[in-house]
Amino acid sequence: MTFLSATLDRVKPSPTIAVTTKAAELKAAGRDVIGLGAGEPDFDTPQNIKDAAVKAIADGKTKYTAVDGIPELKEAICAKFKRDNALDYAPAQITVGTGGKQVLYNAFMATLNPGDEVIIPAPYWVSYPDMVLLAGGTPVPVAATLEANFKITAEQLEAAITPKTKWFLFNSPSNPTGAGYSWSELKELTDVLMRHPHVWVMTDDMYEHLAYGSFKFCTPAQVEPGLFERTLTVNGVSKAYAMTGWRIGYAGGPEHLIKAMRKVQSQSTSNPCSVSQHAAVEALNGTQEFLAPNNALFERRRGLVVDMLNKAPGIICPKPEGAFYVYPSIAGCIGKTSTGGTLVGNDEVFATALLEETGVAVVFGAAFGLSPNFRVSYATSDAALKDACTRIITFCEGLS
């Protein structure tokens, strides 16, 4: 008999965290390392949000709160959904968790039984399939190719649905590709879902406000109101408000699902940090004027990275619609040998050699369910991005 749970055999540690940790270790050892693996903005949390947190501490708002969110925050979330997404939720239909990851996990724990399937477009955020597995479900990846701009088609979704399908997990703009579905593209998917009333929809809208150019964000229940009663709309303050460490995610959904998720949270973490909740109220209700200039900065960085990486031999880097990631293909590098003597057999070998030989840390594509690619986070300074991309170009030029 083994001591550890057999459930752990079904999952693996987060590769993105592993890359970030490895880069930090090399830096501590004196190596010149540029980390492009972390998915968090390099901006500081806006001052008005920090001030709200300080006031909450001064006012003694440091005690336990309701399990899944204070009333003021639930009201702010309802107002946000109405303002930004034309979705009408009541406070009883809102849950607040310790980051968006916990909200997703709570939903899976509250709904999945052995044999239940969850359709996940690939490339996907590394945690999606493992959360499904931890909850006892079966992830069903559906591959979206570079040629399709990393978006699945209605035909692919239709083909993946079975009587065992419980959820369709949707993320736009996407981590890791930055791909965003237009209203018409999403309508084609929601039309399929309307034909399958046993399939629920879980949306991860964390990158909602990080949309560039002519691309306009939309979410499934907004595009197809007929899905409202079987959709969990998940969001949070981490990315747009530069509040990754504050750990506040939230969701709106049918009240019976929210109650079930509350039960899960009540026996795991209980309430999210009280001070962070009051800061999140200010984030959602306060000024949004910093969003546009931040987006303009990210959009410029996107152009810089896409232009430079497309100069690297063997790399094809599409221009995404949102988020702060690019997901270039290295198909032209496979089978070649680096100047350091490494035969590039797959994207994990590519990423390892890139880090060891140039000091640039990226996350390999297999971690996200689609190879041969790697993910770059451009949520860092222009100088670091230029330096990193120059090193990547040099590395690729040295392949033979």
Side-chain angles (χ1 to χ4, degrees):
M1 181 182 296
T2 60
F3 176 69
L4 297 179
S5 168
T7 301
L8 289 178
D9 293 336
R10 309 180 73 194
V11 302
K12 56 188 179 299
S14 168
T16 53
I17 293 176
V19 167
T20 302
T21 302
K22 179 66 173 177
E25 290 173 351
L26 290 173
K27 275 189 176 181
R31 287 284 305 276
D32 177 16
V33 174
I34 303 174
L36 301 180
E40 68 177 342
D42 58 323
F43 310 135
D44 192 15
T45 303
Q47 189 62 46
N48 64 307
I49 299 172
K50 293 192 291 185
D51 290 342
V54 172
K55 185 176 187 303
I57 294 171
D59 291 346
K61 295 177 179 177
T62 56
K63 309 297 185 183
Y64 292 133
T65 75
V67 166
D68 64 347
I70 58 176
E72 303 97 307
L73 181 51
K74 290 192 174 188
E75 291 285 357
I77 292 166
C78 289
K80 174 262 176 286
F81 277 132
K82 180 67 174 177
R83 177 181 69 237
D84 296 339
N85 313 116
L87 297 176
D88 287 307
Y89 288 110
Q93 296 174 295
I94 300 298
T95 185
V96 182
T98 307
K101 182 181 282 189
Q102 184 184 24
V103 175
L104 296 167
Y105 184 73
N106 286 349
F108 288 138
M109 290 298 294
T111 60
L112 292 181
N113 296 304
D116 287 344
E117 296 176 350
V118 178
I119 296 172
I120 308 174
Y124 44 67
W125 181 40
V126 294
S127 294
Y128 290 154
D130 288 301
M131 286 192 287
V132 172
L133 290 166
L134 278 171
T138 302
V140 179
V142 177
T145 64
L146 182 147
E147 291 74 20
N149 295 317
F150 300 121
K151 303 174 196 179
I152 67 166
T153 65
E155 292 74 19
Q156 286 180 291
L157 176 58
E158 185 88 58
I161 293 174
T162 75
K164 295 181 179 180
T165 305
K166 181 160 280 187
W167 288 101
F168 169 55
L169 178 51
F170 180 75
N171 175 217
S172 168
S174 158
N175 176 7
T177 67
Y181 288 73
S182 68
W183 187 286
S184 61
E185 289 169 335
L186 185 48
K187 184 65 167 66
E188 291 180 2
L189 299 182
T190 59
D191 284 349
V192 172
L193 294 164
M194 288 297 292
R195 295 196 291 271
H196 298 275
H198 70 291
V199 180
W200 281 55
V201 185
M202 190 182 303
T203 79
D204 181 350
D205 295 348
M206 198 63 69
Y207 297 92
E208 168 184 8
H209 291 298
L210 302 175
Y212 313 123
S214 61
F215 174 70
K216 303 296 182 184
F217 170 83
C218 53
T219 193
Q222 176 185 18
V223 171
E224 177 47 77
L227 289 174
F228 183 79
E229 291 300 326
R230 51 187 170 106
T231 296
L232 183 71
T233 305
V234 183
N235 211 316
V237 297
S238 297
K239 311 301 182 179
Y241 299 96
M243 295 176 67
T244 49
W246 298 77
R247 308 310 299 136
I248 294 291
Y250 58 82
E255 188 171 350
H256 67 96
L257 172 59
I258 298 300
K259 288 176 66 175
M261 293 169 62
R262 183 184 306 132
K263 183 185 293 187
V264 173
Q265 189 160 312
S266 73
Q267 297 296 355
S268 54
T269 62
S270 195
N271 67 272
C273 171
S274 61
V275 174
S276 293
Q277 290 188 65
H278 287 281
V281 172
E282 175 61 23
L284 295 176
N285 286 346
T287 179
Q288 310 290 298
E289 64 183 11
F290 54 85
L291 294 177
N294 285 359
N295 267 22
L297 182 57
F298 276 136
E299 187 169 4
R300 191 186 75 239
R301 290 174 176 175
R302 177 191 64 164
L304 183 158
V305 171
V306 169
D307 289 347
M308 289 192 71
L309 289 182
N310 277 319
K311 295 176 182 176
I315 286 182
I316 298 174
C317 184
K319 180 180 287 187
E321 289 84 0
F324 40 63
Y325 309 106
V326 293
Y327 198 67
S329 165
I330 59 162
C333 301
I334 299 299
K336 296 183 178 181
T337 301
S338 72
T339 55
T342 298
L343 175 63
V344 179
N346 56 47
D347 48 39
E348 184 171 5
V349 173
F350 178 95
T352 300
L354 184 68
L355 178 57
E356 292 176 350
E357 297 182 29
T358 75
V360 176
V362 299
V363 186
F364 58 93
F368 304 102
L370 188 73
S371 296
N373 298 74
F374 65 94
R375 189 192 76 172
V376 165
S377 168
Y378 53 85
T380 190
S381 70
D382 287 25
L385 291 172
K386 289 177 182 177
D387 189 358
C389 289
T390 299
R391 297 187 197 187
I392 293 172
I393 293 170
T394 302
F395 178 81
C396 291
E397 288 175 342
L399 296 173
S400 60

